[in-house]
Amino acid sequence: MDSLFNDSEISACGDELGRRVYTSRLLGRDKTLVLHGGGNTSVKMRARNAFGEEEEILYVKGSGWDLEKIEEGGFAPVRLEHLKRLAQLSALSDPAMVNELVTNMTRASAPTPSVEAILHAILPYKYVDHTHADAVVTVTNSVGGEARIREIYGDSVVVVPYVMPGFDLARLCAEMFSQQAGPQTIGMVLLNHGIFSFGETAQESYARMIDLVRRAEDYLKRNQAWDIACNGDAQAVANAGLDLARLRKDISAVAGFPLIVARHADTQSMAFARRHDVATIAQQGPATPDHVIRTKRLPMLGRDVQAYAEAYRAHFAAHEPLARERKTMLDAAPRVVLDAELGLCAVGRSAKDAAIVAEIYAHTMEIIVRATALGGYRALPAQDIFDVEYWDLEQAKLKKAGKPAAFAGEVALVTGAASGIGKASVDALLARGAAVVGIDLNPAIVSLYKRPDFLGIECDVADEEQIRNALARTAAAFGGLDMLVLNAGIFPGGCRIDALKTDEWRKVMRVNLDANFVLMREAHAFLKLAPRGGRVVIIGSKNVPAPGPGAAAYSASKAALNQLARVAALEWGGDNIRINSLHPNAVFDTGIWTDEVLASRAKHYGLSVDAYKKNNILRTEVTSRDVAELAAEMCGSLFAKTTGAQVPVDGGNDRVI
Ligand code: ZN
């Protein structure tokens, strides 16, 4: 545990709130202290109200803000006097507490104060820092945790037994604090939860946090519970793609909506999943209440997908009555599947959620393994976990999240995705909530987007081995494949049949036809396992219904592809896979159409560039985005009852009509 504090950086931070922002960000940067919105901080300041009177204000982290990126506006200003009075009530429901917090802020546009605001208010220090430090949680969650905490910290911290976060915890902390605190107190440990530090300056409170956590780390090191050897024989199974897709289909069916399943076969995950005691240690609760909210896990051994589905169903059914009672659409599905051969599979409603689950569980595994080495991992009692899962405030958060995106939990693959219609299709699918794999010959595809729901793969679609690899990587990243947009194609320069070289003909056929045949064949087994049914969209061409001279290879390849799609629509309907084609024409915002080419073609027809672009019945320009939006819609509910269709997207063409 290293201090990231820098004197010159903080002196540039101006006032008390600026310093609060600075050290909050320092805490947020260390993932062993704070993960994904976990932890919170505050500062108590004086301010003048509209009547010119001085008031004490608690600036406490607002919900929805991550400490790592927090700004001054991310702190909610709440009247301190009111919070202190609330702390003296004998009871206050969580919704009533949140109402009190929100209605006693001094800035209407501020975010909702942290549910731990009252806890911050009752601590009589200017700066208060709170984290769920891995090292501290490891100690509190091991056998004899409380005694170990007292051994490490003596009387420098107040120790509070576990109570679910909210009003009751704030009250209990106030009580424990008045009993145990003295001039020597620099922090407070909440068993099975985390740690508080405090001080008169931002620097003092931060330095104490680092010091306290370091002491827990040193304790773990002294007790040989720090360096965890991962056994080296944990070889991940390759080619697990269809197993993952089957698992995903089953758990999505139980949950009632499609879910992303992200496989993590790194050394840590494999070693953990293969521990002989994994069923015992991982079946216990998660490390802190903060984790439980997002990571319900279902560890199982063996590679029996059917058994997973059964266990999953049981877990889901056990939670359902309460979910119904609370009238919420709670996602009671477990979030982590551990498998001796697959490793860790993180489950989420979106790729981002699954990535968060995986990151939190990576910390959880470390905590469990170290606590086990320390003498035994002890999670929260089951009932407490249950309470947190169905906690009013969490429910409120879930309700606020609203309707999921059209393709939430689904996976799409787009070929030729680095530019033009392909890239626009990636955008259209991402915008509808899908996780998207973009493949392209252009290596730029790999870094097209840096976000958890996009995977770019450099791939030659004409190479069967590379296609199979791309599908395997798609399944590992997101759990399967629901939608396929076949866009990659080449359009060679004009050439009449009498001069067309055999090699040129074959090259066009290989990319525009053969590659799509192979990809469809290889993707079929995945599409068949799509929770909502598979969809294929073929980016065809106006040349299918209306070919042009000089484009024999191109027109023939697209026509053959069109016929392939029609046969697939016939063959795959029984597998609940729909295949539809769209036929664009004159889409000029793509790589092939440079300004020079456009100008020369326009001149060839005796038209201005603008008139040339709009040379269709509707006199409108057709863009990559227009084509991509239609492709995405063809995967959606609008086209749910349509397969084998061909839709022009060309502004109207008299030869097609
Ligand atoms: Zn907390």
Side-chain angles (χ1 to χ4, degrees), residues 116 130 132 193:
E116 281 162 348
H130 169 46
H132 303 146
H193 178 157

Side-chain angles (χ1 to χ4, degrees), residues 548-603:
Y554 181 78
S555 298
S557 68
K558 286 287 187 181
L561 175 61
N562 193 61
Q563 204 70 344
L564 175 69
R566 296 173 71 194
V567 174
L570 292 169
E571 290 185 0
W572 294 358
D575 298 327
N576 198 20
I577 302 169
R578 325 188 253 109
I579 296 101
N580 292 298
S581 303
L582 48 82
H583 295 316
N585 187 35
V587 179
F588 296 116
D589 59 342
T590 64
I592 337 164
W593 293 92
T594 60
D595 287 348
E596 297 84 70
V597 175
L598 250 179
S600 96
R601 294 311 295 162
K603 202 175 154 201

Side-chain angles (χ1 to χ4, degrees), residues 39-40 116 130-132 165 190 193 196 290:
N40 40 61
E116 281 162 348
H130 169 46
T131 72
H132 303 146
L190 275 51
H193 178 157
F196 281 78
D290 194 52

Side-chain angles (χ1 to χ4, degrees), residues 321-348:
L322 202 65
R324 221 183 297 126
E325 187 189 307
R326 303 262 175 134
K327 293 191 178 61
T328 62
M329 291 291 292
L330 182 82
D331 165 16
R335 302 301 179 87
V336 172
V337 174
L338 293 169
D339 179 283
E341 290 175 60
L342 296 176
L344 185 160
C345 301
V347 181

Side-chain angles (χ1 to χ4, degrees), residues 22-86:
Y22 174 69
T23 55
S24 299
R25 288 185 176 185
L26 294 187
L27 294 174
R29 271 164 56 188
D30 191 325
K31 299 302 164 207
T32 68
L33 289 175
V34 165
L35 265 181
H36 297 294
N40 40 61
T41 58
S42 67
V43 56
K44 299 176 184 78
M45 288 162 55
R46 301 192 73 81
R48 223 168 264 287
N49 65 19
F51 308 103
E53 301 151 357
E54 272 223 334
E55 281 183 317
E56 269 210 290
I57 306 293
L58 174 81
Y59 280 82
V60 64
K61 194 199 91 160
S63 65
W65 284 83
D66 259 325
L67 285 183
E68 188 179 7
K69 297 199 173 104
I70 200 158
E71 295 161 14
E72 293 194 1
F75 285 91
V78 197
R79 291 186 186 90
L80 185 63
E81 223 19 68
H82 191 80
L83 293 173
K84 286 182 178 167
R85 283 189 66 195
L86 288 175

Side-chain angles (χ1 to χ4, degrees), residues 100-116:
E100 290 297 324
L101 299 181
V102 173
T103 52
N104 282 280
M105 299 197 303
T106 58
R107 196 178 75 242
S109 61
T112 303
S114 159
V115 295
E116 281 162 348

Side-chain angles (χ1 to χ4, degrees), residues 541-553:
S541 168
K542 180 222 71 170
N543 279 38
V544 173

